Amino acid sequence: MGFICGFSVATGAAARLVSGYDSYGNICGQRNAKLEAIPNSGMDHTHRKYVFFLDPCNLDLINRKIKSVALCVAACPRQELKTLSDVQKFAEINGSALCSYNLKPSEYTTSSKSSVLCPKLPVPASAPIPFFHRCAPVNISCYAKFAEALITFVSDNSVLHRLISGVMTSKEIILGLCLLSLVLSMILMVIIRYISRVLVWILTILVILGSLGGTGVLWWLYAKQRRSPKEAIIPEQLQIAEDNLRALLIYAISATVFTVILFLIMLVMRKRVALTIALFHVAGKVFIHLPLLVFQPFWTFFALVLFWAYWIMTLLFLGTTGSAVQNDQGFVEFRISGPLQYMWWYHVVGLIWISEFILACQQMTVAGAVVTYYFTRDKRNLPFTPILASVNRLIRYHLGTVAKGSFIITLVKIPRMILMYIHSQLKGKENACARCVLKSCICCLWCLEKCLNYLNQNAYTATAINSTNFCTSAKDAFVILVENALRVAAINTVGDFMLFLGKVLIVCSTGLAGIMLLNYQQDYTVWVLPLIIVCLFAFLVAHCFLSIYEMVVDVLFLCFAIDTKYNDGSPGREFYMDKVLMEFVENSRKALKEAGKGGVADARELKPMASGASSA
């Protein structure tokens, strides 16, 4: 990927991207060399620093680019120019000729070729794009057709316009609700640290109240809207009122179904809720001793944003690199020939691989810090910053492990994305059998990817404990997960469900606040897009924070497994584990023995890591 970036910069793509170039291959803002057999090339554009399009609203919807002659100009027209006389006056006053290089400003109003060589009238007011020196229309209404072409899931333009207007009028509320979800996630992480013993019950009660409250509010709004007299509604608004009533009914029914399903799940798992309290308590102690774990999602997100910015910039470089060739209209395009034209494929692979690599580095860092905490008997002897110590070990010893694990995920993700692309391209054209086969393959690859993600996370933990390579660590982690399958299922199912309830709590709280704030808009159909945006953002934020807690719980379980392998609690072989965790295990064993009536429970006893592993 470094070679791809260096190649695109070295071949002049950086200058063409930043400064822009005209339709004859001249880079704006500099002196250019003559291109063979291409007219108007090799011009001196030292004082012409901006790219101007004669018809900026002429868009190629398939290739997503502007189909217009591009010129280098000295200044962008800041006001609308309605006639050729205005264009000529602008050129004389500002020294910026907006017509073709072959036409002098004095000939704008007299030449018969002005309609072809000059910009389409009226010339919209434009301003240069910061850092990229392109004149872009200030009023983006000419791009509305392009935007609507990209949105194919809404056939009714009136509904689309109402949804978009709802987002625009509620943008301050959306921003405030997104900030609220971030604050709620931070508060929940703090609560987890200090009241982990009662957290499970608090989350359960709050989710019950939140789901009931949200469902009740929606049914109340539906009843209020239905009782409102129709005679008071003007005929033009009658259809909108019916849409509002139907939308509220759908919202209320969906919320009711969700609440019932949630209650049934909680009813089934109520007996296992108590078993997670002790494990949450130990995980809460980890966050007390390692407070920087809370900020781990911020550093990961920052690293991903930096990489994505680099990736997009390099992709833009690739779009302007290559040799100059003439297209069918006689203008210049830059294209790469030979094997190098497929570099962007590897660039896409690199996007997936390195993104997975960054996420894997976070998992390894968290695992290393928690392992250090667990296997330090006297917590006063912990390193000053276990997180930084874990990062140091990652960089010195385990980068290959992380690279291999992320590459395996990439090998599964790429075929799935290719199949999804094929499915989208063949939608409506394939028969039922082909559609079923494609969806089955996509589903199987998705399941495989999730399983490998979970195995990789445990493999990184085994690497942090035993300092073994990726394959050995993956084998050890797989053995312990298989031998303790029921125990792992009990811990992960109940623990993950509690964390899921935390995510649901944040989403429900943010959504309920959104309903109350958006209630001033009587057009309830416009609630859809703002609420979807807010709830998705709230879920993503909650997932980023609570996934760290989930990692800590999984790492603690593997640490406990290897602890029981080499220690039995006798003098000289004392356990490293916390007393609360030991009580949790004993309670779990009693519950499993009662459920399995003795003999079956013996097969479910917690088994340690493979005997070939070495002590931490």
Coordinates of all heavy atoms in Angstrom, one line a residue, residues 454-491:
Y454 N -14.6 -14.5 17.1 CA -14.6 -14.9 18.5 C -13.4 -15.7 18.9 O -12.7 -15.5 19.9 CB -15.9 -15.6 18.8 CG -16.0 -16.0 20.3 CD1 -16.3 -15.1 21.2 CD2 -15.8 -17.3 20.7 CE1 -16.4 -15.4 22.6 CE2 -16.0 -17.7 22.0 CZ -16.3 -16.7 23.0 OH -16.4 -17.1 24.3
L455 N -13.0 -16.6 18.0 CA -11.8 -17.5 18.2 C -10.5 -16.6 18.2 O -9.6 -16.9 19.0 CB -11.7 -18.6 17.1 CG -10.5 -19.5 17.2 CD1 -10.6 -20.3 18.6 CD2 -10.5 -20.5 16.1
N456 N -10.4 -15.7 17.3 CA -9.3 -14.8 17.3 C -9.1 -14.0 18.5 O -8.0 -13.9 19.1 CB -9.4 -13.8 16.1 CG -9.0 -14.5 14.8 OD1 -8.7 -15.7 14.7 ND2 -8.9 -13.7 13.7
Q457 N -10.2 -13.5 19.1 CA -10.1 -12.7 20.3 C -9.6 -13.6 21.4 O -8.8 -13.1 22.2 CB -11.5 -12.2 20.6 CG -11.6 -11.4 21.9 CD -13.0 -10.9 22.2 OE1 -13.7 -10.6 21.3 NE2 -13.3 -10.7 23.5
N458 N -10.1 -14.8 21.5 CA -9.5 -15.7 22.6 C -8.1 -16.2 22.3 O -7.3 -16.4 23.2 CB -10.5 -17.0 22.7 CG -11.8 -16.6 23.4 OD1 -11.9 -16.6 24.6 ND2 -12.8 -16.4 22.6
A459 N -7.8 -16.3 21.0 CA -6.4 -16.6 20.7 C -5.4 -15.5 21.1 O -4.3 -15.7 21.6 CB -6.2 -16.8 19.1
Y460 N -5.8 -14.2 20.9 CA -5.0 -13.1 21.4 C -4.8 -13.2 22.9 O -3.8 -12.8 23.5 CB -5.6 -11.8 21.0 CG -5.8 -11.6 19.5 CD1 -6.9 -10.9 19.0 CD2 -4.9 -12.1 18.6 CE1 -7.1 -10.7 17.6 CE2 -5.0 -12.0 17.2 CZ -6.1 -11.3 16.7 OH -6.3 -11.1 15.4
T461 N -5.9 -13.6 23.6 CA -5.8 -13.7 25.1 C -4.8 -14.8 25.4 O -4.0 -14.6 26.3 CB -7.2 -14.0 25.7 OG1 -8.1 -13.0 25.3 CG2 -7.1 -14.1 27.2
A462 N -4.9 -15.9 24.7 CA -3.9 -17.0 25.0 C -2.5 -16.6 24.7 O -1.6 -17.0 25.4 CB -4.3 -18.2 24.1
T463 N -2.3 -15.8 23.6 CA -1.0 -15.2 23.3 C -0.5 -14.4 24.5 O 0.7 -14.4 24.9 CB -1.0 -14.5 22.0 OG1 -1.4 -15.3 20.9 CG2 0.3 -13.8 21.7
A464 N -1.4 -13.5 25.0 CA -1.0 -12.6 26.1 C -0.6 -13.4 27.4 O 0.3 -13.0 28.1 CB -2.1 -11.6 26.4
I465 N -1.3 -14.6 27.6 CA -1.0 -15.4 28.8 C 0.3 -16.2 28.6 O 1.1 -16.2 29.4 CB -2.2 -16.3 29.0 CG1 -3.5 -15.5 29.4 CG2 -1.9 -17.3 30.2 CD1 -4.7 -16.3 29.5
N466 N 0.4 -16.9 27.4 CA 1.4 -17.9 27.3 C 2.6 -17.4 26.4 O 3.6 -18.1 26.3 CB 0.8 -19.2 26.6 CG -0.3 -19.8 27.5 OD1 -0.1 -19.8 28.7 ND2 -1.3 -20.3 26.8
S467 N 2.4 -16.3 25.7 CA 3.5 -15.8 24.8 C 3.8 -16.8 23.7 O 4.9 -17.0 23.3 CB 4.8 -15.4 25.6 OG 4.5 -14.3 26.4
T468 N 2.7 -17.5 23.2 CA 2.9 -18.4 22.1 C 2.4 -17.7 20.8 O 1.8 -16.7 20.8 CB 2.0 -19.7 22.3 OG1 0.7 -19.3 22.7 CG2 2.6 -20.5 23.5
N469 N 2.8 -18.4 19.6 CA 2.4 -17.8 18.3 C 0.9 -18.0 18.1 O 0.2 -18.6 18.9 CB 3.2 -18.4 17.2 CG 3.0 -19.9 17.1 OD1 1.9 -20.4 17.2 ND2 4.1 -20.7 17.0
F470 N 0.4 -17.4 17.0 CA -1.0 -17.4 16.7 C -1.6 -18.7 16.6 O -2.7 -19.0 17.2 CB -1.3 -16.6 15.4 CG -2.7 -16.5 15.1 CD1 -3.6 -15.6 15.7 CD2 -3.2 -17.4 14.1 CE1 -4.9 -15.6 15.4 CE2 -4.6 -17.3 13.8 CZ -5.4 -16.4 14.4
C471 N -1.0 -19.6 15.8 CA -1.6 -21.0 15.6 C -1.7 -21.7 16.9 O -2.7 -22.4 17.2 CB -0.8 -21.7 14.6 SG -0.9 -21.0 12.9
T472 N -0.6 -21.7 17.7 CA -0.6 -22.4 19.0 C -1.7 -21.8 19.9 O -2.4 -22.5 20.6 CB 0.8 -22.4 19.6 OG1 1.7 -22.9 18.8 CG2 0.8 -23.1 20.9
S473 N -1.7 -20.5 20.0 CA -2.7 -19.8 20.8 C -4.1 -20.1 20.4 O -5.0 -20.4 21.2 CB -2.4 -18.3 20.8 OG -1.1 -18.0 21.3
A474 N -4.4 -20.1 19.1 CA -5.7 -20.4 18.6 C -6.1 -21.9 18.9 O -7.2 -22.1 19.3 CB -5.8 -20.2 17.1
K475 N -5.1 -22.8 18.8 CA -5.4 -24.2 19.2 C -5.7 -24.3 20.7 O -6.7 -25.0 21.1 CB -4.2 -25.1 18.8 CG -4.4 -26.6 19.1 CD -3.1 -27.3 19.1 CE -2.2 -26.9 20.2 NZ -1.0 -27.8 20.3
D476 N -4.9 -23.7 21.5 CA -5.2 -23.7 23.0 C -6.6 -23.1 23.3 O -7.3 -23.7 24.1 CB -4.1 -23.0 23.7 CG -2.8 -23.7 23.6 OD1 -2.8 -24.9 23.3 OD2 -1.7 -23.1 23.9
A477 N -6.8 -22.0 22.7 CA -8.1 -21.3 23.0 C -9.3 -22.2 22.5 O -10.3 -22.3 23.2 CB -8.2 -19.9 22.3
F478 N -9.1 -22.8 21.3 CA -10.2 -23.6 20.8 C -10.4 -24.8 21.7 O -11.6 -25.2 21.9 CB -9.8 -24.1 19.4 CG -10.9 -25.0 18.7 CD1 -12.0 -24.4 18.2 CD2 -10.7 -26.3 18.6 CE1 -13.0 -25.2 17.6 CE2 -11.7 -27.1 18.0 CZ -12.8 -26.6 17.5
V479 N -9.4 -25.4 22.2 CA -9.5 -26.6 23.1 C -10.3 -26.2 24.3 O -11.2 -26.9 24.7 CB -8.1 -27.2 23.4 CG1 -8.2 -28.2 24.5 CG2 -7.5 -27.8 22.2
I480 N -9.9 -25.1 24.9 CA -10.6 -24.8 26.2 C -12.0 -24.4 25.9 O -12.9 -24.7 26.8 CB -9.8 -23.7 26.9 CG1 -10.3 -23.5 28.3 CG2 -9.9 -22.3 26.2 CD1 -9.5 -22.6 29.2
L481 N -12.3 -23.7 24.8 CA -13.7 -23.4 24.5 C -14.5 -24.6 24.3 O -15.7 -24.6 24.7 CB -13.7 -22.4 23.3 CG -13.1 -21.0 23.5 CD1 -13.1 -20.3 22.2 CD2 -13.9 -20.3 24.6
V482 N -14.0 -25.6 23.6 CA -14.7 -26.8 23.3 C -14.9 -27.6 24.5 O -16.1 -28.1 24.8 CB -14.0 -27.6 22.2 CG1 -14.7 -29.0 22.1 CG2 -14.1 -26.9 20.9
E483 N -13.9 -27.8 25.4 CA -14.0 -28.6 26.6 C -14.9 -28.0 27.6 O -15.5 -28.7 28.4 CB -12.6 -28.9 27.2 CG -11.7 -29.8 26.3 CD -10.4 -30.0 26.9 OE1 -10.0 -29.3 27.9 OE2 -9.7 -30.9 26.5
N484 N -15.1 -26.7 27.6 CA -15.9 -26.0 28.5 C -17.1 -25.3 27.8 O -17.5 -24.2 28.1 CB -15.1 -25.0 29.3 CG -14.0 -25.6 30.1 OD1 -14.2 -26.2 31.1 ND2 -12.8 -25.6 29.5
A485 N -17.6 -26.0 26.8 CA -18.6 -25.4 25.9 C -19.8 -24.9 26.7 O -20.3 -23.8 26.5 CB -19.0 -26.3 24.8
L486 N -20.3 -25.7 27.6 CA -21.5 -25.3 28.3 C -21.3 -24.2 29.3 O -22.1 -23.3 29.4 CB -22.1 -26.5 29.1 CG -22.6 -27.7 28.2 CD1 -23.1 -28.8 29.1 CD2 -23.8 -27.2 27.3
R487 N -20.1 -24.3 29.9 CA -19.7 -23.2 30.8 C -19.6 -21.9 30.1 O -20.0 -20.8 30.5 CB -18.4 -23.5 31.6 CG -17.9 -22.5 32.5 CD -18.7 -22.4 33.7 NE -18.6 -23.6 34.5 CZ -19.1 -23.7 35.7 NH1 -19.8 -22.7 36.2 NH2 -19.0 -24.8 36.4
V488 N -18.9 -21.9 28.9 CA -18.7 -20.8 28.1 C -20.0 -20.2 27.6 O -20.2 -19.0 27.6 CB -17.7 -21.1 26.9 CG1 -17.7 -19.9 25.9 CG2 -16.4 -21.5 27.4
A489 N -20.9 -21.1 27.2 CA -22.2 -20.7 26.8 C -23.0 -20.0 27.9 O -23.6 -18.9 27.7 CB -23.0 -21.9 26.3
A490 N -22.9 -20.5 29.1 CA -23.6 -19.9 30.2 C -23.1 -18.5 30.5 O -23.8 -17.5 30.7 CB -23.5 -20.8 31.5
I491 N -21.7 -18.4 30.6 CA -21.1 -17.1 30.9 C -21.4 -16.1 29.8 O -21.8 -15.0 30.1 CB -19.6 -17.3 31.2 CG1 -19.4 -18.1 32.5 CG2 -18.9 -15.9 31.4 CD1 -18.0 -18.5 32.8

